[in-house]
Each structure stands twice: as structure tokens, then as C-alpha cells.
Amino acid sequence: MSFSPDIVERLARARADLRMGVPIVMTGDGTALLVLAVETLTPARLADTRELGGTPALVITSRRAETLKARAYDGDIARIHLPHDADIHWLNSVANPDDDMRAPMKGPLASQRDGRADLHRTAVRLVKSARILPSALTLPLENAASFALEHGLTVLPADLAEPHLSSTSPLHPVVHARLPMSLAEAGRLHILRPEDGAEEHYAIEVGRPARDKPVLTRLHSACFTGDVLGSLKCDCGPQLHAALAQMGTEGHGILLYLNQEGRGIGLANKMRAYSLQDQGFDTVEANHRLGFEDDERDFRIGANILKEMGFSQVRLMTNNPRKISMMESTGLTVTERVPLRVGESAHNRAYLATKAAKSGHLL
Ligand SMILES: Nc1nc2c(ncn2[C@@H]2O[C@H](COP(=O)(O)OP(=O)(O)OP(=O)(O)O)[C@@H](O)[C@H]2O)c(=O)[nH]1
Ligand SMILES: [Zn+2]
């Protein structure tokens, strides 16, 4: 029978559960963990987790641990013993840098290494992939299968889930239709849907570019604040419009609008980063304080869409050398880099300087 969800579908469920605050059960290495996302944890669920007995561990990324000066590293994660008197506010203050400046000390953060590092690592990676704060409360479980059944919880075998956390889900065309735009009248919008239940991505085809020639291409990452609201803090809106305008003038092009808001951390986390930037941290420092890497985007998505549409050579509109190297590593040929320097303002001068200094952008 094909009714049961497969591992990719279970992963999608697990992400949705964690975003809502519902715990999941993760199995592996002959053991099992109850996993709760700190951002969506409620006092009732924290109390019930304690009631189960055993030793809960708070798992954060090593980026967040560096900020907290918590010496509890195991490679890219850190595991912290949950103090007996720790309440929901304490857990939040470890996960969320919001009040780091006001209250930098969270008390002594004791390490808790109990041999489940691989499961803990998968747990925090899963929470991160749900675009919430990358921090998980975990508790070893006995009789995990019956516990999950009793409480209706999603069970996720970590070893099966792990490869899907680092791979790109196949995308399939859903529909396309004509869309005349002020900057590029001969437009057509294609919707692409991934198999893993994550966000859809869009391809805007201008004209009918030849599939056997280099196509003028823009890989644009969603920026609600810049693209829609005209934010002056970044250069995204002007880049989007300049790319479409050039495609309109040349008569052909492909603009991929990838729903990777905030370099892949989601809009809520990007706003947390903006709040930290108002405290004086730059883009990269703000991401690290939240527990993220500099850039969490997966550019392979863009390459896959281009191949799916039949292209193999691109003239890429970007200032980001990582986009070029990624395209080439997936077998697409970048015949030319078309610089896209627009939208500099007094508000984004520091942002652009950080892009050049820390992210290697060619500005
Ligand atoms: N995390 C985070 N993301 C940001 C910030 N400002 C803009 N973004 C996001 O950054 C993405 C755009 O990336 P950029 O680094 O501006 O440019 P790029 O795509 O790497 O390079 P170009 O092709 O040259 O534009 C969008 O998803 C924005 O939402 C910020 O301060 N923090
Ligand atoms: Zn932006």
C-alpha cells in the first residue's frame, strides 16, 4: 500500500509540527529523542517534558554558542544541560539574541554530552530547516514507538532523514501563463513546486530565449522588504527591476525568483537580524548571533530550474562569485558575468561594504 508517508513527506510534516510547537520523535542509533523547537515551546509542553523524567538537553548551533561563550561544542553544535529551575524565558534567551545586550549572562551553561551527538545534530538541523530559531530541546525517550502513537507524534528515523536535509528536492513545473510587465512586456511566469512540500519558486521567462545559446539570467533571492516595500537597507528591489528592464530591452531572459528570503533564514529571522543590525552588528555578525551561517541559501535550486527549462549556458547577472562557481559546479556554463550595480543609498552603504568585505561580492 502506498498510503503511508515516505521519508520526504515525514520530514515535511516534522517541519510543520515544529513550526507550530508540536514535538516530534526522532529515532536512531538504537535510541530515541523527543524533539521540541525552543522558539515555539509552550510552558505546558516544557512542564510535561520535565514530568517525563530523564535529562533534557538544549541543542544550539556552534555559531550561537560562540556568542554565548558556551564551551559545549561538538563540531557545529553545542549541547547544554537544562538547569532544574530554567523556565521558558531562560530557554528563549539562550535561543534568541534579542536581549543579549541587556542580559548577556545566561548563568553558567554546563555542557551535556551524552553520546547522542548525531541525533542532536540532526534535530537542530531539522529545526533550522523549519526557518525558526535553530535551537532544540531534546529528551531521551524509552518506548518511543508507543509514546509517539499515544500522543499522535510524527516519528522520524534520523539516518533516513539526514541525506534529505542536505540535498535539493526535485522541482516540477506546475503551470505557466503569459504575464506582460511594465519593464518586460513579453513575459511568462512559470511556477515550480518542490517534492518536499517546501516553498514554490518562480521563473519569469522574457521572450522565448533560444535553449542552445547563452541566456541572460538573474538568480534573484526573495526580499519582501526590498522587492515589495522598497526598503533602502539593501539593493534587492533596484536589482530586480534593473534585471527585468535589461531583459525587456534585449527581448529575452530568464529571471528566477527563488523563495529564499533573508539568504535562506526566512523573513522572521531576517527581521531579528535587522533588529541586531540596529544594535550595531553587520549582516554576517547578526546571522551568526542568531545561530546561522553567513548564507544559508542553496543555489543548486536555481541551476536545477535552468536545466529543467532546457538551458545549459548563461550570462549571469550578479556580483556574487559564489553564484558563478555553484552554477559551474552543477555543469552549467557561465559564459559571462553581467554586473548588477544599482540602488546604492546612504542606508545601505554599510550593507554593501559588508557584502564586498565579508561575502566576496564584486562591488
Ligand atoms: N540574513 C539577511 N539577509 C539579508 C539581509 N539583507 C538582505 N538579505 C537577503 O539577501 C538576499 C539577497 O542577497 P544579496 O547578498 O543582497 O545578493 P546576492 O544574491 O548574494 O548577490 P547578487 O547576485 O550580486 O545580488 C535576499 O534573500 C535578501 O532577503 C540581511 O541583513 N540579513
Ligand atoms: Zn533585500
Side-chain angles (χ1 to χ4, degrees), residues 12-234:
R13 271 193 185 175
R15 285 194 187 97
D17 289 349
L18 292 165
R19 280 180 70 89
M20 282 186 297
V22 179
I24 64 143
V25 172
M26 189 174 279
T27 60
D29 296 335
T31 166
L33 288 179
L34 184 68
V35 178
L36 304 102
V38 172
E39 177 171 345
T40 51
L41 183 64
T42 60
R45 286 192 168 120
L46 174 60
D48 287 344
T49 304
R50 288 191 191 284
E51 282 279 299
L52 293 174
T55 325
L58 177 57
V59 191
I60 57 176
T61 66
S62 54
R63 288 290 187 198
R64 181 73 189 128
E66 274 165 33
T67 297
L68 296 170
K69 313 226 171 349
R71 289 189 192 82
Y73 299 100
D74 283 291
D76 56 351
I77 59 165
R79 294 176 293 165
I80 297 163
H81 175 78
L82 184 71
H84 295 297
D85 55 351
D87 62 6
I88 201 104
H89 300 293
W90 185 87
L91 278 153
N92 268 311
S93 71
V94 173
N96 192 338
D98 189 33
D99 74 343
D100 277 1
M101 301 302 265
R102 225 176 329 122
M105 300 306 292
K106 318 293 175 196
L109 296 173
S111 115
Q112 180 169 318
R113 294 192 174 92
D114 65 359
R116 294 182 180 83
D118 287 345
L119 275 189
H120 285 137
R121 180 163 289 111
T122 307
V124 87
R125 288 188 67 193
L126 174 64
V127 174
K128 188 196 249 189
S129 75
R131 310 270 189 272
I132 47 180
L133 287 168
S135 178
L137 181 66
T138 65
L139 180 77
L141 277 182
E142 280 159 29
N143 308 320
S146 58
F147 183 87
L149 200 61
E150 183 188 346
H151 297 284
L153 303 183
T154 302
V155 180
L156 201 63
D159 58 336
L160 297 183
E162 186 63 35
H164 294 283
L165 285 170
S166 39
S167 68
T168 310
S169 179
L171 283 150
H172 302 291
V174 179
V175 61
H176 58 92
R178 200 174 65 84
L179 185 75
M181 294 163 289
S182 60
L183 295 169
E185 223 175 307
R188 180 165 285 276
L189 176 62
H190 301 250
I191 309 297
L192 298 122
R193 187 176 295 162
E195 285 179 9
D196 65 359
E199 303 87 351
E200 292 171 352
H201 302 287
Y202 317 131
I204 295 125
E205 182 172 15
V206 176
R208 178 68 189 168
R211 272 31 186 185
D212 58 353
K213 296 209 176 68
V215 57
L216 183 64
T217 303
R218 168 77 183 148
L219 253 64
H220 190 84
S221 300
C223 178
F224 173 71
T225 47
D227 299 341
V228 180
L229 302 179
S231 157
L232 300 174
K233 270 181 73 76
C234 59

Side-chain angles (χ1 to χ4, degrees), residues 183-184 206 216-218 220 237-249 252-253 255 317 340 342:
L183 295 169
V206 176
L216 183 64
T217 303
R218 168 77 183 148
H220 190 84
Q239 284 187 319
L240 175 64
H241 297 134
L244 278 177
Q246 189 165 341
M247 290 174 192
T249 305
H252 299 285
L255 185 139
M317 307 181 83
L340 201 52
V342 283

Side-chain angles (χ1 to χ4, degrees), residues 311-323:
F311 296 102
S312 59
Q313 303 172 66
V314 293
R315 293 166 57 216
L316 193 62
M317 307 181 83
T318 187
N319 308 317
N320 183 348
R322 276 190 54 227
K323 284 187 181 170

